[in-house]
Amino acid sequence: MTEPTIYKGLVGVYADVSAVSKVMPETNSLTYRGYAVQDLCEETDFEQVAYLLWHGELPTAAQLEAFRAEERANRALSPALLRVLRDFPKDAHPMDAIRTAVSFMGMEDPESADVSDAAQRRKAMRLFAKAPTAVAAANRLSKGLEPIEPDASLPYCENFFHLVFGKVPQPEVIKSFDVSMILYAEHTFNASTFTARTVTSTGADIHGAIAAGIAALKGPLHGGANEAVMHMLKEVGSPEAAVDWLEGKFDHRALVMGFGHRVYKSGDSRVPTMTKYAEKMAEVVGDRRWMETSRVLAKQMLERKNIHPNLDFPAGPAYYLMGFDIPMFTPIFVCSRITGWAAHVFEQAADNRLIRPLSHYTGVEQRAVPSLAARG
Ligand code: COA
């Protein structure tokens, strides 16, 4: 028998067609439904992008108003879920907390078992609206603080800050956060999206698909990198220390978090926009240390290894400067990526075939089962 070709890590494999987004590594660009992400960041907001991903077109004013109203109406958590959140271990990672909260929301959802397109879309809206409430509540409870109730008079991003901090910051901070949410929303067949599509391909419901996506996103090679970046910047400490710190990493052939990408090999399309808004955050807060340190690391990585930063590299310090605790960074990514995951769940279900690849067996040849006595 001829040896099959193995594409380790599925590198270079086209697993299906998709009309949600397009990555163009040759021009370092990314479009959602045909619109360049950097243009969406300047011309729209996260709620409009969520609508775009789910419906294929940007909303009209009336459609947007209805979409926003539905999101605001679905933010509250049930008393049962709040009780469960209170019982989580205080040192649980917030990604484990939101993954478990999403599973719980699935059990509570009135349409839990209904996987029709209409029901999946209604459930996606409920998940989209409730995820920030759960992420913020878990974060506050872990610090011994009471959860804050969502404020239906506030737009999505303003409400997020209200839920976490009990107050809404100045518009520049909201804008930087909104941009990060747009940039994190969608990115073709990355590991967590492919996971969500695989779960959907079995006929399972959207809460299961998204809980699985969250599990995949937690890893440091995927979404967990934005937290790792901030830990790294704090370890480096200052721009002056960056070059020596990096040389030490090269000596040990260690991974430098926030650099490299499976698809982009000459720059991540999202980095210039996120860097611009991370810089704005540094100005607002009046602390340039992290961005200066980042700048030296990025320059040195490029010169020495020809490796470019990815979105997590500027997003990490941006979230830190906004005041979020580091373990909140990847759960924020979850709140954003729920939109992209859901768009892929709808697309997979609309033209489904069970995802089930083959493995090439390299174990021992077939053999007889020895009796227990013969095994000694
Ligand atoms: N730091 C140091 N070296 C890196 C690197 C990094 N962040 N990213 C890639 N490289 C090196 C690899 O070690 C490899 O070197 P080698 O050829 O000497 O073995 C080379 O660059 C090619 O990288 P490869 O492992 O083929 O890339 P991949 O497509 O399999 O992996 C990532 C992509 C994202 C998993 C990888 O770049 C990484 O682990 N980055 C850090 C984590 C991160 O920021 N993740 C967020 C992604 S959005």
Side-chain angles (χ1 to χ4, degrees):
M1 193 190 139
T2 53
E3 294 271 309
T5 307
I6 306 292
Y7 298 95
K8 189 92 174 155
L10 301 182
V11 173
V13 172
Y14 286 90
D16 205 341
V17 298
S18 175
V20 182
S21 67
K22 184 178 181 190
V23 173
M24 289 152 280
E26 59 289 351
T27 50
N28 300 338
S29 46
L30 168 67
T31 53
Y32 296 166
R33 304 284 190 188
Y35 296 111
V37 279
Q38 64 275 18
D39 296 345
L40 290 169
C41 287
E42 300 305 338
E43 305 298 333
T44 71
D45 56 39
F46 178 51
E47 288 136 293
Q48 295 180 55
V49 168
Y51 185 99
L52 171 71
L53 290 171
W54 290 359
H55 298 276
E57 294 296 337
L58 284 165
T60 63
Q63 287 165 337
L64 181 60
E65 196 184 329
F67 188 80
R68 289 197 206 277
E70 217 187 325
E71 186 270 315
R72 288 176 194 210
N74 279 289
R75 288 174 181 167
L77 305 183
S78 71
L81 177 51
L82 277 167
R83 274 198 302 277
V84 170
L85 287 171
R86 282 182 198 283
D87 282 344
F88 284 173
K90 289 280 170 281
D91 59 353
H93 191 284
M95 283 297 276
D96 298 340
I98 185 62
R99 193 194 64 232
T100 308
V102 165
S103 286
F104 196 89
M105 287 176 203
M107 291 188 286
E108 290 187 310
D109 196 283
E111 299 180 286
S112 186
D114 187 346
V115 292
S116 65
D117 183 63
Q120 295 276 77
R121 285 173 184 270
R122 287 191 293 270
K123 289 188 280 186
M125 171 54 88
R126 292 194 276 274
L127 269 168
F128 173 59
K130 289 184 204 310
T133 321
V135 163
N139 173 250
R140 289 182 65 86
L141 286 165
S142 73
K143 298 198 287 191
L145 300 170
E146 274 303 297
I148 295 174
E149 290 201 6
D151 182 343
S153 73
L154 295 174
Y156 182 99
C157 291
E158 280 86 341
N159 178 59
F160 196 96
F161 280 86
H162 159 77
L163 289 168
V164 176
F165 301 109
K167 54 181 190 244
V168 177
Q170 61 205 88
E172 291 89 337
V173 179
I174 295 292
K175 177 67 188 172
S176 298
F177 183 74
D178 188 69
V179 163
S180 79
M181 297 298 273
I182 293 175
L183 294 173
Y184 267 137
E186 161 60 13
H187 214 216
T188 71
F189 281 16
N190 54 83
S192 58
T193 301
F194 193 63
T195 301
R197 288 189 74 123
T198 304
V199 173
T200 302
S201 82
T202 70
D205 57 86
I206 191 168
H207 285 85
I210 288 187
I214 295 171
L217 189 71
K218 184 185 175 191
L221 299 188
H222 194 3
N226 63 7
E227 297 181 21
V229 164
M230 198 58 226
H231 289 300
M232 171 180 80
L233 290 175
K234 291 183 85 173
E235 193 185 310
V236 176
S238 69
E240 295 74 30
V243 171
D244 285 349
W245 184 90
L246 207 50
E247 289 301 325
K249 290 284 159 189
F250 295 155
D251 290 346
H252 296 92
R253 295 184 59 78
L255 274 181
V256 184
M257 302 317 277
F259 286 88
H261 197 274
R262 171 58 61 79
V263 184
Y264 300 113
K265 295 298 178 194
S266 58
D268 179 329
S269 59
R270 305 160 296 179
V271 165
T273 311
M274 194 63 244
T275 304
K276 173 178 152 187
Y277 284 93
E279 293 283 1
K280 282 188 198 267
M281 282 307 311
E283 266 169 48
V284 168
V285 175
D287 181 357
R288 294 213 38 81
R289 185 172 25 147
W290 311 116
M291 294 314 291
E292 287 298 330
T293 308
S294 300
R295 195 178 49 75
V296 179
L297 288 174
K299 183 167 176 284
Q300 193 71 1
M301 273 298 275
L302 197 58
E303 279 175 17
R304 293 277 280 105
K305 297 281 171 186
N306 197 26
I307 300 178
H308 294 258
N310 57 54
L311 174 58
D312 294 317
F313 191 64
Y319 288 151
Y320 191 74
L321 289 162
M322 287 173 202
F324 292 112
D325 296 333
I326 297 174
M328 283 280 280
F329 296 3
T330 321
I332 293 172
F333 188 165
V334 168
C335 294
S336 163
R337 187 56 65 86
I338 278 177
T339 60
W341 287 330
H344 282 275
V345 166
F346 307 151
E347 190 179 65
Q348 178 69 36
D351 184 19
N352 188 45
R353 185 135 196 228
L354 176 72
I355 295 173
R356 204 301 188 192
L358 300 174
S359 61
H360 177 55
Y361 182 69
T362 55
V364 292
E365 289 303 319
Q366 188 166 349
R367 48 189 167 162
V369 180
S371 68
L372 185 57
R375 279 176 262 157

